[in-house]
RNA sequence: GCCGAUGUAGCUCAGGGGUAGAGCGCAUCCUUGGUAAGGAUGAGGUCACGGGUUCAAAUCCCGUCAUUGGCUCCA
């Protein structure tokens, strides 16, 4: 007998060689039906594998991340099996699960697959799933594995096998389809009830553009048809909220071929929104001891040679600008940091001056590959809500706390509730690739962990993800429809202070090197406005939205009264305009609704006589008539 | 940059080897209306750009550019 310890701490006895599935069945039939895989001693394995010794056991279902991953990985196999039957001779690369679903890279020879073929493949997958074929695990020798795929003529699998050790190679078989795979997999295919292929795309074998391009088919599956329906609904919702679509509809921004790819042009509405965001953050930063500065959009090449950015961006980015003067070269700034370092050097610093917090909404230019560009989230010219904090190593923790607090405050104010952090630290073993003293790194990493703990922030720690010049923390937010975005970032930097020879005089009357912290709560104005637009579906927070109301006169006879109302609202700091068109009131309401303007104030004879406005809330309808002062009160309570 | 898709009026799109279509928007006129589209008339297009095939190209072919879904990358 072996002892199985469950997550709640209870221990039960089972015969040696019992499977997780059998254990589940001993608890309840329903549980057994729902088990997708098992975590045994912390390792995810097939629920059908015998457990040979005492172990901790977690039964994985659809609710668990690993359960979903197993489900989708098995679905990738199912799709490959279907494609193999429909397209004999197809060769397979890799087919993993991903965040939402799975994909498989396939070499179909000359056959071109398009979304028109999806239904056929989906049908085949469903047909195969119904057969309830088990996913059978087989340990094979390297020689046998090579023989099998050589026979099949699949050079991709042969290449993968070549990199594996003999003795650790396993095959999984479902029906007639055999795949090289580490597993784990579902007990059988019947769990896969709902299937949807999502897209095809080209993808290089092993991500290497010098190698063969394969067809990557993306799909997603669910254990229930209703869940697929809900997922597709979410995708539709995401499409409706796409900031490129809303940005055009609400006239926030545009692009012009004549101006250039990836160079966003902010229209009046977008500018109103962005300016308000900037003003909000600026005011908050001044409260927290930041000093705003303004620096030029260019800098001499030498500046970037000193900073090291020339090496990184010089060749692959916008080319240097040559002036009429011989040999003079300027670069569009890819970063604000070098300019800020020069500000630090402006005059000698004492330890008593630190920390110094230099802030700038700095527009930077980076040449992104054309395929990279995407709406406002990926552009070639963007404005960072940048600031650099220069401090002593001992001040790092307090500064981090300050920045975490600011970032949390700012994001909450925008209606983001769900955020987490990712802390990127050094590789645990290889420390050679990092610059800066061991002592300072140790101090900074500890400071970040402590600050995050004190701030009460959920964080995951990733080792080996730190930049060569310092550890960092990224803010991840979840939006209203459950997607994660990386926004704010805080990075410690030991490199630039070194390169720019930054110093401060300590209490010991000796020069010391300050630590530099880069931080941007929004990341960039462009990206943030994009994420915010999608998060709130174009219904921006009331305090932020470009137009807070529209006055809709019943006819042009009430224009004067409309203007009087507008003046009162303006005096109260509420912004909006008057729809003076000679249209019916129904029409004006419709157009204003579509523009997502939060309040409609309808004025006609009755309102003019009584000094009131008939208030309509966007998306909700008539909320009653009130005196203008009453509306102002009502409105202010909502801010 | 690479692979795929797309490019027709300001917008959304239909059509398609033989003189270019709709709805919305826009302009003018009529209408002065009470909570999601009032009516009439009209203007708007080198069918992305360049080349080729053809008696004839917006349509077929090639190239370029842009947009878009991916691949690598980052804010």
């Amino acid at each position: 007998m072996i002892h199985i310890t469950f997550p709640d701490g209870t221990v039960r006895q089972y015969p040696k060689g019992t499977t997780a599935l059998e254990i589940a069945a001993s608890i309840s039939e329903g549980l057994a039906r729902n088990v997708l895989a098992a975590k045994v001693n912390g390792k995810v394995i097939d629920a059908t594998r015998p457990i040979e010794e005492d172990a901790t056991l977690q039964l994985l279902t659809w609710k668990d991340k690993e359960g979903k991953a197993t489900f989708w990985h098995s679905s990738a196999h199912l799709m490959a099996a279907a494609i193999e039957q429909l397209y004999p001779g197809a060769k397979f690369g890799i087919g993993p699960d991903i965040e939402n679903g799975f994909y498989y890279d396939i070499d179909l020879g000359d056959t071109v697959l398009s979304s028109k073929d999806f239904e056929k493949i989906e049908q085949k997958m469903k047909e195969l799933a119904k057969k309830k074929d088990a996913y059978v695990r087989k340990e094979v020798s390297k020689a046998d594995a090579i023989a099998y795929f050589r026979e099949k003529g699949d050079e991709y699998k042969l290449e993968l096998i070549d990199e594996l050790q003999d003795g650790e190679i396993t095959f999984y078989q479902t029906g007639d389809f055999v795949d090289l795979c580490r597993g784990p997999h579902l007990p059988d295919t019947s769990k896969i009830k709902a299937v949807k292929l999502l897209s095809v795309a080209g993808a290089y074998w092993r991500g290497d553009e010098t190698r063969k391009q394969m067809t990557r088919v993306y799909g997603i599956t669910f254990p229930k048809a209703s869940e697929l329906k809900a997922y597709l609904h979410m995708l539709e919702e995401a499409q409706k909220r796409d900031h490129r679509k809303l940005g055009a509809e609400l006239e926030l921004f545009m692009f012009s071929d004549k101006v250039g790819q990836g160079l966003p042009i902010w229209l009046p509405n977008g500018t109103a929104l962005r300016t308000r965001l900037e003003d909000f953050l600026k005011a908050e930063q001044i409260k927290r001891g930041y000093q705003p500065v303004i620096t030029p959009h260019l800098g001499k090449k030498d500046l970037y040679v000193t900073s090291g950015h020339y090496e990184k961006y010089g060749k692959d980015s916008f080319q240097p600008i040559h002036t009429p003067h011989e040999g003079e070269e300027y670069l569009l700034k890819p970063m604000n940091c070098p300019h800020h370092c020069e500000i630090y050097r402006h005059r000698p610093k004492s330890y008593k001056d630190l920390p110094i917090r230099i802030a700038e909404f700095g527009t930077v230019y980076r040449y992104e590959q054309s395929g990279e560009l995407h709406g406002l989230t990926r552009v070639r010219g963007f404005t960072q809500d940048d600031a650099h904090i220069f401090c002593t190593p001992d001040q790092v923790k307090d500064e981090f706390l300050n920045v975490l607090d600011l970032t949390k405050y700012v994001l909450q104010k925008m209606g983001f509730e769900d955020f987490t952090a990712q802390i990127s630290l050094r590789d645990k073993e290889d420390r050679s690739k990092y610059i800066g003293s061991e002592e300072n790194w140790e101090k900074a990493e500890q400071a970040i962990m402590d600050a995050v703990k004190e701030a009460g922030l959920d964080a995951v720690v990733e080792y080996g993800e730190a930049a060569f010049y310092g550890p960092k923390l990224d803010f991840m937010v979840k939006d209203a429809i459950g997607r994660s975005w990386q926004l704010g970032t805080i990075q410690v930097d030991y490199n630039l202070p070194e390169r720019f020879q930054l110093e401060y005089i300590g209490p010991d009357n000796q020069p010391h090197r300050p630590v530099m912290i880069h931080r941007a709560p929004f990341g960039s104005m462009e990206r943030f406005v994009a994420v915010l637009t999608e998060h709130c579906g174009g219904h921006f927070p009331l305090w932020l939205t470009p137009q807070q109301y529209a006055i809709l006169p019943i006819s042009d006879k009430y224009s004067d009264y409309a203007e009087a109302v507008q003046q009162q609202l303006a005096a109260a700091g509420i912004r909006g305009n008057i729809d003076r068109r000679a249209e019916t009131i129904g029409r004006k309401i419709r157009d204003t609704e579509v523009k997502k303007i939060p309040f409609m104030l309808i004025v006609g004879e009755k309102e003019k006589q009584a000094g009131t406005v008939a208030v309509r809330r966007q998306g909700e309808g008539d909320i009653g008539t009130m005196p203008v002062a009453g509306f102002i009160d009502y409105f202010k309570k909502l801010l």
Side-chain angles (χ1 to χ4, degrees):
Chain A
M1 295 299 264
I2 53 171
H3 295 84
I4 298 296
T5 309
F6 292 91
D8 65 357
T10 54
V11 179
R12 296 168 74 150
Q13 287 196 17
Y14 290 94
K16 195 163 178 281
T18 304
T19 69
L21 201 56
E22 287 160 353
I23 293 173
S26 78
I27 298 168
S28 89
E29 208 181 301
L31 183 59
R33 256 201 313 275
N34 287 323
V35 166
L36 303 177
K39 202 179 210 173
V40 177
N41 291 330
K43 202 170 158 246
V44 184
I45 62 164
D46 304 330
T48 51
R49 275 180 76 179
I51 301 167
E52 305 290 352
E53 53 189 26
D54 288 358
T56 61
L57 172 70
Q58 187 190 350
L59 296 165
L60 298 171
T61 66
W62 181 250
K63 289 192 186 75
D64 302 294
K65 207 173 146 195
E66 295 103 326
K68 276 198 181 74
T70 304
F71 192 89
W72 284 331
H73 185 188
S74 293
S75 301
H77 279 231
L78 182 65
M79 181 173 78
I83 288 176
E84 187 168 63
Q85 289 201 7
L86 292 169
Y87 303 91
K91 297 176 206 170
F92 297 91
I94 55 165
D97 56 277
I98 54 178
E99 196 182 341
N100 290 301
F102 57 88
Y103 68 79
Y104 218 119
D105 284 345
I106 307 153
D107 179 355
L108 288 162
D110 294 330
T111 310
V112 178
L113 207 62
S114 82
S115 50
K116 292 182 198 91
D117 304 307
F118 286 177
E119 207 183 320
K120 188 171 63 184
I121 301 169
E122 285 164 11
Q123 284 310 322
K124 190 54 132 183
M125 286 174 72
K126 282 184 212 160
E127 184 191 315
L128 293 178
K130 274 205 194 110
K131 286 165 72 182
K132 206 175 175 175
D133 286 323
Y135 285 85
V136 182
R137 183 173 185 274
K138 238 187 296 184
E139 290 177 14
V140 290
S141 70
K142 191 161 180 171
D144 288 350
I146 291 171
Y148 178 83
F149 282 104
R150 184 163 290 153
E151 162 80 26
K152 201 177 164 192
D154 191 329
E155 66 264 28
Y156 304 103
K157 293 292 178 191
L158 287 171
E159 185 176 327
L160 294 173
I161 292 167
D162 188 48
E163 290 161 22
L164 294 173
Q165 296 294 319
D166 199 3
E168 63 174 28
I169 297 171
T170 52
F171 279 3
Y172 274 82
Q173 176 160 12
T174 29
D176 300 329
F177 179 72
V178 177
D179 203 355
L180 169 74
C181 186
R182 190 185 303 125
H185 280 287
L186 300 176
D188 67 71
T189 57
S190 69
K191 306 249 181 278
I192 303 168
K193 302 269 202 249
V195 172
K196 183 81 188 166
L197 300 194
L198 298 169
S199 64
V200 265
Y204 297 104
W205 172 232
R206 318 207 88 174
D208 180 346
E209 64 181 70
T210 61
R211 307 199 60 179
K212 176 142 177 134
Q213 177 125 21
M214 305 182 77
T215 304
R216 178 170 296 181
V217 183
Y218 287 87
I220 194 161
T221 51
F222 293 91
K224 281 188 197 153
S226 60
E227 294 191 49
L228 172 62
K229 213 173 140 194
Y231 179 75
L232 293 176
H233 181 260
M234 192 278 283
L235 284 186
E236 236 173 78
E237 188 59 31
Q239 232 168 37
K240 270 191 233 155
R241 288 161 175 261
D242 190 314
H243 75 277
R244 293 166 300 179
K245 182 171 169 287
L246 286 172
E249 279 171 16
L250 304 176
E251 300 196 55
L252 300 176
F253 61 88
M254 60 170 274
F255 289 91
S256 149
D257 291 354
K258 265 212 155 85
V259 172
Q261 291 192 75
L263 299 170
I265 294 168
W266 292 77
L267 295 170
N269 282 341
T271 305
L273 186 71
R274 170 174 158 174
T275 306
R276 212 151 273 121
L277 278 171
E278 289 183 2
D279 290 349
F280 165 69
L281 184 54
K282 269 181 200 161
E284 199 53 42
Q285 288 184 162
I286 285 171
K287 275 189 217 160
R288 292 167 189 255
Y290 287 80
Q291 305 180 73
V293 298
I294 297 172
T295 64
H297 289 215
L298 302 172
K300 265 164 66 178
K301 177 181 161 185
D302 191 43
L303 176 69
Y304 302 104
V305 171
T306 301
S307 71
H309 292 122
Y310 186 75
E311 210 180 326
K312 182 163 187 251
Y313 291 100
K315 285 173 211 71
D316 302 322
S317 196
F318 289 114
Q319 292 304 293
I321 296 164
H322 299 268
T323 64
H325 185 76
E326 191 81 19
E328 215 175 27
E329 283 183 86
Y330 286 85
L331 261 71
L332 285 167
K333 67 176 172 188
M335 299 256 182
N336 301 301
C337 337
H339 290 76
H340 291 187
C341 286
E342 286 302 293
I343 291 174
Y344 182 91
R345 275 154 48 90
H346 175 233
R347 63 184 178 86
K349 298 284 188 288
S350 149
Y351 70 97
K352 294 176 197 162
D353 295 324
L354 303 184
I356 289 174
R357 309 182 187 93
I358 294 173
E360 175 175 21
F361 284 79
T363 305
V364 297
Y365 301 90
R366 297 180 194 170
Y367 180 83
E368 299 291 347
Q369 293 181 32
S370 60
E372 277 300 302
L373 301 172
H374 179 90
L376 281 186
T377 56
R378 197 99 199 129
V379 292
R380 285 177 173 172
F382 58 97
T383 303
Q384 296 177 310
D385 53 326
D386 215 355
H388 295 99
I389 299 166
F390 299 91
C391 63
T392 68
D394 290 330
Q395 291 169 330
V396 170
K397 183 184 156 195
D398 278 349
E399 289 309 309
F400 244 83
L401 264 176
N402 190 342
V403 175
L404 287 180
D405 189 61
L406 171 70
T407 308
K408 261 174 77 175
Y409 174 78
V410 166
L411 293 180
Q412 263 164 352
K413 194 82 184 170
M414 303 299 157
F416 289 104
E417 296 301 335
D418 190 340
F419 36 75
T420 52
Q422 179 183 317
I423 303 172
S424 303
L425 305 181
R426 279 174 301 178
D427 195 305
K428 276 181 166 161
E429 276 98 48
D430 182 10
R431 303 235 138 144
S432 62
K433 53 188 172 186
Y434 305 101
I435 75 150
S437 73
E438 175 69 24
E439 188 198 345
N440 278 343
W441 269 90
E442 201 52 53
K443 219 181 226 172
E445 292 188 340
Q446 199 51 48
I448 295 173
M449 308 279 261
D450 290 350
V452 165
K453 205 167 170 193
E454 261 176 61
L457 195 63
D458 278 339
V460 286
V461 177
E462 298 284 349
Y463 291 93
E465 287 292 305
F468 75 92
Y469 53 78
K472 67 171 180 176
L473 179 148
D474 290 312
F475 257 83
M476 313 288 292
V477 302
K478 241 193 190 136
D479 74 9
I481 56 172
R483 297 169 299 172
S484 277
W485 299 88
Q486 190 223 305
L487 287 177
T489 176
I490 317 174
Q491 305 191 7
V492 177
D493 188 344
Y494 300 116
N495 181 40
L496 287 180
E498 197 71 34
R499 281 175 166 272
F500 279 87
Q501 299 282 300
L502 305 184
E503 293 180 341
Y504 65 89
I505 304 300
D508 56 0
N509 200 27
Q510 293 298 310
H512 297 271
R513 191 122 294 162
V515 177
M516 186 173 180
I517 299 172
H518 310 254
R519 42 105 283 173
F522 291 147
S524 79
M525 299 314 293
E526 285 74 10
R527 187 198 201 81
F528 187 75
V529 167
V531 173
L532 181 63
T533 302
E534 302 203 0
H535 174 59
C536 62
H539 299 91
F540 296 106
L542 195 53
W543 64 276
L544 201 55
T545 201
Q547 267 183 58
Q548 294 168 319
Y549 68 83
I551 299 177
L552 313 182
I554 296 281
S555 85
D556 57 14
K557 283 188 251 169
Y558 309 105
S559 289
D560 290 350
Y561 180 60
E563 264 167 47
V565 172
Q566 187 180 35
Q567 272 173 28
Q568 286 183 67
L569 293 175
I574 305 174
R575 58 185 177 275
N577 58 12
I578 302 170
D579 186 344
R580 295 168 200 274
R581 295 174 304 160
E583 290 293 349
T584 58
I585 192 65
R587 180 47 177 274
K588 289 182 186 180
I589 287 169
R590 183 185 150 78
D591 290 347
T592 314
E593 285 280 349
V594 168
K595 283 197 250 171
K596 300 185 167 50
I597 293 171
F599 285 101
M600 279 152 266
L601 307 178
I602 294 156
V603 295
E605 189 59 31
K606 283 180 282 184
E607 290 75 20
K608 185 179 171 182
Q609 290 306 323
T612 55
V613 286
V615 183
R616 192 186 154 98
R617 186 98 205 238
Q618 200 270 350
E620 288 173 28
D622 195 355
I623 59 170
T625 298
M626 53 186 90
V628 179
F631 173 70
I632 291 172
D633 279 353
Y634 173 82
F635 185 93
K636 295 223 151 155
K637 280 192 189 115
L638 292 173
L639 287 179

